[in-house]
Amino acid sequence: DQQVKQNSPSLSVQEGRISILNCDYTNSMFDYFLWYKKYPAEGPTFLISISSIKDKNEDGRFTVFLNKSAKHLSLHIVPSQPGDSAVYFCAALSGSARQLTFGSGTQLTVLP
Amino acid sequence: AAGVIQSPRHLIKEKRETATLKCYPIPRHDTVYWYQQGPGQDPQFLISFYEKMQSDKGSIPDRFSAQQFSDYHSELNMSSLELGDSALYFCASSSLGSEAFFGQGTRLTVV
């Protein structure tokens, strides 16, 4: 049973518009959430994270929102750029565990 | 800034051979994770170490073993290799409660 779910396998967005990537989780023990970007045959690159004590974290064009009651988080990329095209993974961590649980990823394509 | 270093980047082995993958975490990181990503699949958690002790175990086959050494580098040993072991193997490191950073991965091909 997947504890971290990314229900959209792919997303296409026009350059300059907003990209919204969604992630749902089921384990209430998760208290730290991360987004990674991955290109083929490369390791995941850390993008942004959020602790469960916050509901928003912003870093440049990237903003992550956390809705704990809904067990939902999202990554907003504004404005989207063609170089943002990659697979985006949502991951979750519980404070005492040493295991990052990944979602299945969303392929983002930003069209010029 | 120093990143997570994995070696080798590419490895080709025959069936039933043994492979050893190495991971050098970011300095002062106390946790190392190993992940396996097969073609078209999500990264699957294999095993993690905290302060040189095994911390969590995921879907790691019995043919695989791993350890973390006194200098915090970690090695993943894979024996009796099978064709299905062909994958990208990622190592990540973190310190408690912070982001995990990944290495570039080792691409293992079993022929």
Side-chain angles (χ1 to χ4, degrees):
Chain A
D1 183 34
Q2 275 196 302
Q3 297 187 64
V4 178
K5 298 179 184 180
Q6 293 176 255
N7 291 318
S8 298
S10 62
L11 175 68
S12 290
V13 171
Q14 207 67 37
E15 180 178 6
R17 299 287 184 95
I18 183 171
S19 296
I20 301 177
L21 300 134
N22 292 303
C23 179
D24 297 293
Y25 62 96
T26 57
N27 188 342
S28 57
M29 297 300 292
F30 290 142
D31 54 12
Y32 203 75
F33 304 91
L34 308 94
W35 283 95
Y36 288 88
K37 174 181 177 180
K38 188 179 180 304
Y39 295 112
E42 291 187 11
T45 303
F46 169 75
L47 277 177
I48 192 169
S49 63
I50 188 167
S51 163
S52 60
I53 63 173
K54 295 185 176 181
D55 55 17
K56 177 182 174 182
N57 188 25
E58 192 171 354
D59 183 4
R61 296 185 297 115
F62 302 92
T63 303
V64 57
F65 294 93
L66 175 62
N67 183 334
K68 281 179 61 180
S69 60
K71 292 192 175 67
H72 176 84
L73 64 155
S74 60
L75 174 68
H76 293 211
I77 306 174
V78 184
S80 302
Q81 299 172 356
D84 295 330
S85 298
V87 178
Y88 288 78
F89 287 97
C90 164
L93 182 69
S94 66
S96 58
R98 297 294 188 274
Q99 178 179 160
L100 276 177
T101 303
F102 280 89
S104 53
T106 297
Q107 170 70 58
L108 174 65
T109 303
V110 180
L111 305 168
Chain B
V4 178
I5 306 296
Q6 288 187 249
S7 68
R9 289 294 310 277
H10 303 274
L11 189 59
I12 300 176
K13 290 285 185 178
E14 295 187 354
K15 283 194 304 184
R16 292 179 289 278
E17 282 193 317
T18 298
T20 298
L21 310 185
K22 296 185 180 182
C23 172
Y24 297 86
I26 292 171
R28 291 180 293 282
H29 278 190
D30 53 28
T31 303
V32 168
Y33 313 78
W34 284 97
Y35 285 82
Q36 175 193 59
Q37 186 176 26
Q41 297 180 4
D42 315 333
Q44 296 294 317
F45 172 70
L46 293 177
I47 196 167
S48 64
F49 292 88
Y50 171 65
E51 286 292 344
K52 295 162 278 185
M53 300 289 289
Q54 182 181 307
S55 176
D56 278 302
K57 205 169 182 181
S59 50
I60 183 169
D62 292 340
R63 299 177 290 108
F64 293 7
S65 65
Q67 57 182 324
Q68 188 176 28
F69 295 86
S70 58
D71 63 352
Y72 290 89
H73 94 273
S74 179
E75 295 184 3
L76 178 66
N77 297 293
M78 306 152 69
S79 62
S80 304
L81 287 169
E82 302 173 356
L83 296 178
D85 297 329
S86 295
L88 275 170
Y89 289 83
F90 294 110
C91 167
S93 74
S94 73
S95 55
L96 178 59
S98 77
E99 299 82 7
F101 295 88
F102 284 80
Q104 287 298 296
T106 294
R107 178 174 289 283
L108 172 67
T109 303
V110 181
V111 297

